[in-house]
Amino acid sequence: MKTEFNVPKPVNRRFVLSIISFFLFFTACPSDNGSTTTKTPLILISMDGFRWDYFNKTETTNFDELIQSGSKANALIPVFPTKTFPNHISIVTGRYPENHGIIANRMYDPVFDESYYIGEGSAPVRDGKWYDSEPIWVTAEKQGQKAMTMFWPASEAEIMGIRPSEYFVYDGSVSHNDRIDQILKWLDYPAEERPTFISTYFSHTDSYGHQYGPDSDEILKAIGEMDRTIGRLIFGLKVRGLFDKVNIVLVSDHGMASVHLDSIIYLDDYINMDDVYMVDWTPIGSISPLNNVDEIYSKLKNVHPNMSVYKKGEAPERYHYRNHRRIQPVTAVAREHWSISTHEYIATDDHAEGFNGATHGYDPAYKSMRGIFVGHGPAFKSGFSGPGITNVHLYEMMCSILGLNPAKNDGSLDSSRVFLIN
């Protein structure tokens, strides 16, 4: 039976286990021999908006410990668009957005005649019909392993008829400590109940990055909080004798680039906004003309040096953003640091304030959009620094570590093997 939690149950906050429970854990967890109950657990952790260079901005003692005794990529390269849900789903399915179906945080499906949007309480997020590809927790459950998710975008949805054995419906008010403690609680389960795949998610650095920018004093404090949170996990694993016995994969979905009120492209300078329906706005404008597609396209193409405009099917091939039915007839893509809006929207003071912080969604080729990848544990090389890697390759890597047969995907184990011992 699958177990859903809306609010975490009280967790044991004592990190030092008794000698008896410690003994029982290890007698029930021998080395990996292919049995469901003896697989080495893999913990997948996302820190939303944690840019590739954040490790170097302030002291990060706990991150440094993971990195120094594990493997680190120069960057985790996101997929287009560099938004939260498209990239989180790419990480766990190994597919580009045009193949897994989540092509934006907000989108319209002409077959369903419904809109998808993210946020706490979102009904579409929990509706499995939106997801076209198999996430790793489904792969694990289908092959007899247990998956448990202390948050991950879409992990509360029933996808392909399957949910994790235990999962939490996203609630941003759940503390960082409680999220970590839930992971440790799952690791304390008896062998026959213990998950092999565990995930958790933090939005902290994304929230602070949006509000204050990637070079602010506030983001330094946010990085410090995430370092402290990882320290809690490391300590909990060490007192259980598990720090070197479980695999940790630490990632982020994208980076962050500063934006300013003096760098806005006003669509209403070029088209009548009554002639279009804006499915999504900035920095990727998803535009559905109400009448003549060619007319809207011709009016927007080449009108601003900091905005590229594409008809459906004509975006650069490297975007992998051409074929899905949820891609709208016209797509506008702002250059780094630029935003897309209208004069009417900006005239509202509360709205204008949002264009003075930072955002993401831009071309993945921009260095500012890149995230992090760190691997630690028995599957990963120690003290290894490797090249940047595109996030679609992580699904194959995690399947290999867990001994799973991967579903169809766009990644390649050869692209991530450099970080692994075998």
Side-chain angles (χ1 to χ4, degrees), residues 249-324:
V249 175
L250 174 63
V251 299
S252 61
D253 49 350
H254 54 70
M256 195 72 68
S258 59
V259 292
H260 307 282
L261 265 173
D262 61 358
S263 300
I264 296 177
I265 302 157
Y266 294 98
L267 291 185
D268 49 347
D269 281 345
Y270 311 107
I271 60 173
N272 184 340
M273 299 306 296
D274 291 335
D275 293 336
V276 301
Y277 171 60
M278 296 296 298
V279 175
D280 203 6
W281 276 94
T282 188
I284 309 299
S286 187
I287 306 169
S288 178
L290 300 181
N291 295 302
N292 193 317
V293 172
D294 290 335
E295 180 181 355
I296 296 299
Y297 171 72
S298 63
K299 286 182 177 180
L300 291 177
K301 184 183 180 183
N302 299 325
V303 297
H304 198 287
N306 295 298
M307 181 176 71
S308 299
V309 180
Y310 307 103
K311 291 176 71 174
K312 183 173 182 176
E314 297 179 357
E317 186 174 355
R318 63 187 179 84
Y319 282 1
H320 299 276
Y321 194 81
R322 291 182 172 184
N323 298 319
H324 202 279

Side-chain angles (χ1 to χ4, degrees), residues 45-51 54 82-85 88 105 118 153 170 200-210 219 226 251-256 360 372:
I45 303 170
S46 171
M47 296 188 174
D48 197 325
F50 200 107
R51 208 167 75 170
Y54 280 2
T82 52
K83 291 283 191 174
T84 297
F85 266 58
H88 275 95
N105 287 343
I118 67 172
Y170 184 69
T200 194
Y201 164 86
F202 302 94
S203 63
H204 195 63
T205 42
D206 184 70
S207 298
Y208 276 75
H210 276 295
I219 200 65
M226 288 294 91
V251 299
S252 61
D253 49 350
H254 54 70
M256 195 72 68
H360 51 89
I372 58 168

Side-chain angles (χ1 to χ4, degrees), residues 11 25 82 104 173 176 196 199 205 223 250 283 310 334 341 393 409 413:
V11 293
F25 184 97
T82 52
S173 69
H176 297 161
T196 57
S199 75
T205 42
I223 296 167
L250 174 63
Y310 307 103
S341 189
H393 300 303
N409 66 90
L413 181 59

Side-chain angles (χ1 to χ4, degrees), residues 51 54 205-216 218-219 255-264 282 336-339 346 349-360 362 368-369:
R51 208 167 75 170
Y54 280 2
T205 42
D206 184 70
S207 298
Y208 276 75
H210 276 295
Q211 186 171 358
Y212 300 107
D215 300 309
S216 62
E218 288 81 3
I219 200 65
M256 195 72 68
S258 59
V259 292
H260 307 282
L261 265 173
D262 61 358
S263 300
I264 296 177
T282 188
E336 186 182 30
H337 305 300
W338 283 79
S339 304
I346 297 298
D349 290 340
D350 289 344
H351 292 166
E353 186 61 29
F355 290 84
N356 272 325
T359 197
H360 51 89
Y362 300 105
S368 63
M369 292 297 100

Side-chain angles (χ1 to χ4, degrees), residues 98-150:
E98 70 173 358
N99 290 328
H100 64 57
I102 307 303
I103 55 99
N105 287 343
R106 181 173 179 83
M107 54 192 182
Y108 171 75
D109 189 297
V111 173
F112 301 157
D113 191 23
E114 296 175 29
S115 292
Y116 181 99
Y117 54 91
I118 67 172
E120 288 188 38
S122 166
V125 167
R126 298 189 67 183
D127 190 339
K129 72 183 181 184
W130 290 91
Y131 307 99
D132 297 339
S133 296
E134 180 176 301
I136 189 167
W137 56 82
V138 172
T139 305
E141 293 281 348
K142 285 172 65 175
Q143 297 179 38
Q145 298 189 28
K146 290 183 182 293
M148 299 183 185
T149 57
M150 182 64 228

